Amino acid sequence: MAAIAARLITKLVDVQDKYGEATVVLTGGTVGIGTLKAVADSPAAPAVDWSKVNFWWGDERFVGSADPERNSRQAFDALLSRIPVDPERVHSPGSSDEFSTPEEAAEDYARQLREAAAAEHAADMSDDRPEEPSPLPRLDVVLLGVGPDAHIASLFPEQAGIREKDRTVVGVRNSPKPPPLRISLTLPAINTAAEVWMVVAGEDKAGAVGLALAGANPVQVPASGPRGTSRTLWLIDENAASRVPQQLVRKDAAGA
């Protein structure tokens, strides 16, 4: 996780050098939250101007705002409470304290994304600025974990969320993984990101990783669907990599 943290710090510095600010979409789970803790612990962390980093989440559990199961709560404890963030740049999906249904929270989150995109569009003075703002702001890095069932964010195999083509955010019901109610970015939204980083560890994820890298259909294997517009990185440990198709395993000059 320290290696992923170091890579993320370097990436955010590079993006800030180019744009003056950076946007990262966070994930939950053991590896995702562990990576955030490693960022906070890193001696290189002060190289990032954290007051000019925009934070979003790929998905969230639709529970109370103080519930320790919320990804945003765990991220706050692991990282955001330990760095000088600008609270206006931290965009947490709505909770069950604020909205009656996950669909209402999803609509609100989509609105936040549209407003951020509109502000970004208004500030863009370049000659190649599009006439109309996108429904999404520029996403520099999206972090995603992968479940043993190959789900990403809260997009689960065969469910409506992974089939969504038009909306940027969906409410999720009947999640196979508790809690049953969630909010998630859609695959089309995720795939607007410049870089998508798949961060995976553990032998229980090996089957999902192998199927995803073999090119399975995203409806059945959601982890096969993410594609960054610049690049897609799989940052996985040895156990998670144990079923990667052999033709995709990088060999050194000696063939080892």
Side-chain angles (χ1 to χ4, degrees):
M1 295 181 197
I4 301 172
R7 185 187 286 267
L8 181 59
I9 289 168
T10 299
K11 182 62 183 178
L12 294 177
V13 170
D14 290 346
V15 172
Q16 287 186 335
D17 285 345
K18 182 176 182 179
Y19 295 111
E21 62 179 23
T23 298
V24 61
V25 178
L26 304 180
T27 186
T30 303
V31 180
I33 299 303
T35 296
L36 298 187
K37 184 177 185 303
V39 168
D41 291 341
S42 172
V48 179
D49 182 349
W50 294 107
S51 69
K52 293 184 179 178
V53 177
N54 305 301
F55 294 94
W56 300 84
W57 275 264
D59 73 319
E60 185 56 279
R61 288 94 182 253
F62 188 64
V63 292
S65 57
D67 194 307
E69 290 298 304
R70 276 179 64 87
N71 291 333
S72 52
R73 181 72 189 180
Q74 293 176 21
F76 180 83
D77 292 341
L79 175 65
L80 301 182
S81 64
R82 301 172 61 191
I83 55 175
V85 298
D86 177 354
E88 296 296 317
R89 292 179 182 263
V90 178
H91 305 278
S92 303
S95 69
S96 60
D97 301 329
E98 305 165 280
F99 298 97
S100 299
T101 67
E103 290 79 13
E104 290 177 3
E107 289 177 9
D108 179 74
Y109 201 45
R111 175 193 60 78
Q112 292 184 55
L113 288 159
R114 284 195 305 272
E115 290 180 355
E120 193 173 87
H121 183 268
D124 185 358
M125 296 291 104
S126 64
D127 294 336
D128 59 350
R129 182 181 75 165
E131 290 187 13
E132 297 296 329
S134 162
L136 292 160
R138 188 190 75 250
L139 305 179
D140 299 305
V141 179
V142 170
L143 300 174
L144 290 174
V146 176
D149 62 352
H151 81 267
I152 53 165
S154 283
L155 303 177
F156 293 91
E158 302 285 359
Q159 291 200 345
I162 190 61
R163 300 175 187 271
E164 178 62 44
K165 303 293 187 185
D166 300 318
R167 289 178 290 177
T168 58
V169 189
V170 290
V172 176
R173 294 178 179 268
N174 302 315
S175 162
K177 181 180 179 181
L181 302 181
R182 294 161 174 257
I183 303 149
S184 183
L185 293 184
T186 61
L187 188 57
I190 289 167
N191 286 350
T192 67
E195 296 192 8
V196 175
W197 296 11
M198 312 292 285
V199 292
V200 196
E203 189 174 358
D204 62 329
K205 315 292 179 61
V209 170
L211 287 170
L213 289 175
N217 187 315
V219 173
Q220 286 79 41
V221 182
S224 69
R227 293 287 186 276
T229 61
S230 174
R231 65 176 177 170
T232 307
L233 296 178
W234 283 82
L235 304 172
I236 58 182
D237 71 357
E238 185 175 357
N239 290 329
S242 63
R243 298 189 194 177
V244 172
Q246 281 302 305
Q247 65 270 28
L248 298 180
V249 177
R250 185 184 302 170
K251 304 290 187 179
D252 64 21

